[in-house]
Amino acid sequence: MSKVTIVLLVILAVLIIASIALYFFGKKAEKKQAAQQEQLDAAAQAVSMLIIDKGKMRLRDAGFPQIVIDNTPKYLRRSKVPVVKAKVGPRVMTLMCDAQIFPLIPVKKEVKATVSGIYIMNVKGLRGHLETPQKKKGFFARLRGK
């Protein structure tokens, strides 16, 4: 056999082993995520709140309790997360939000949210529907529109 075919066979074997390993790690992560979602759903409660401010910032800068920062994996501590500052009853709280519903949350309006701990899972408008934000058009889409 030539050296080229040996190198290609080795690369093929490494790719097959890597894909099998990723398959099993993915299955394990999927089961773990399902268990966490069940826990979130079990602790969920509906709360009426006034949204004061929202933004994406790092966990350290958001003002979360130290235990939240300590329980976050080290590789995620530096990433930016969607954070909402809201008035829930008489208290002003800093809450973390799901990335899919973050654009739906209106600022300086009252909403009814499903909250599990400090995590906002769902948002509904208290007085009427929430407006879906307009996506920014790209450069070429704007040119095609003209």
Side-chain angles (χ1 to χ4, degrees), residues 15-58:
L15 287 175
I16 290 172
I17 292 170
S19 64
I20 290 171
L22 285 175
Y23 173 78
F24 286 113
F25 285 131
K27 283 286 191 183
K28 184 178 176 183
E30 188 176 313
K31 289 178 185 176
K32 190 175 181 181
Q33 182 183 15
Q36 289 174 348
Q37 189 64 39
E38 285 179 15
Q39 289 177 349
L40 282 174
D41 291 340
Q45 53 186 332
V47 176
S48 176
M49 62 177 68
L50 174 69
I51 307 297
I52 297 171
D53 192 21
K54 71 177 187 173
K56 289 191 178 193
M57 55 185 70
R58 297 177 193 251

Side-chain angles (χ1 to χ4, degrees), residues 98-146:
D98 194 293
Q100 283 84 20
I101 64 165
F102 181 71
L104 298 175
I105 297 175
V107 179
K108 300 196 176 167
K109 290 193 178 176
E110 202 166 348
V111 295
K112 188 155 193 115
T114 306
V115 178
S116 178
I118 62 166
Y119 191 72
I120 301 174
M121 297 170 29
N122 195 7
V123 176
K124 295 179 184 172
L126 197 63
R127 295 175 181 86
H129 297 286
L130 294 177
E131 298 174 10
T132 54
Q134 296 288 333
K135 288 188 176 181
K136 291 184 180 178
K137 288 186 178 180
F139 178 72
F140 291 108
R142 281 184 273 159
L143 282 178
R144 272 188 254 134
K146 291 180 181 179

Side-chain angles (χ1 to χ4, degrees), residues 33-107:
Q33 182 183 15
Q36 289 174 348
Q37 189 64 39
E38 285 179 15
Q39 289 177 349
L40 282 174
D41 291 340
Q45 53 186 332
V47 176
S48 176
M49 62 177 68
L50 174 69
I51 307 297
I52 297 171
D53 192 21
K54 71 177 187 173
K56 289 191 178 193
M57 55 185 70
R58 297 177 193 251
L59 281 175
R60 275 185 254 121
D61 303 334
F64 289 121
Q66 187 62 36
I67 193 164
V68 173
I69 297 169
D70 292 341
N71 287 337
T72 306
K74 290 189 179 183
Y75 64 92
L76 292 176
R77 289 184 189 171
R78 302 186 85 205
S79 64
K80 291 188 175 185
V81 293
V83 176
V84 175
K85 195 169 206 171
K87 185 174 182 184
V88 182
R91 294 181 58 193
V92 176
M93 298 177 70
T94 305
L95 303 166
M96 194 180 301
C97 176
D98 194 293
Q100 283 84 20
I101 64 165
F102 181 71
L104 298 175
I105 297 175
V107 179

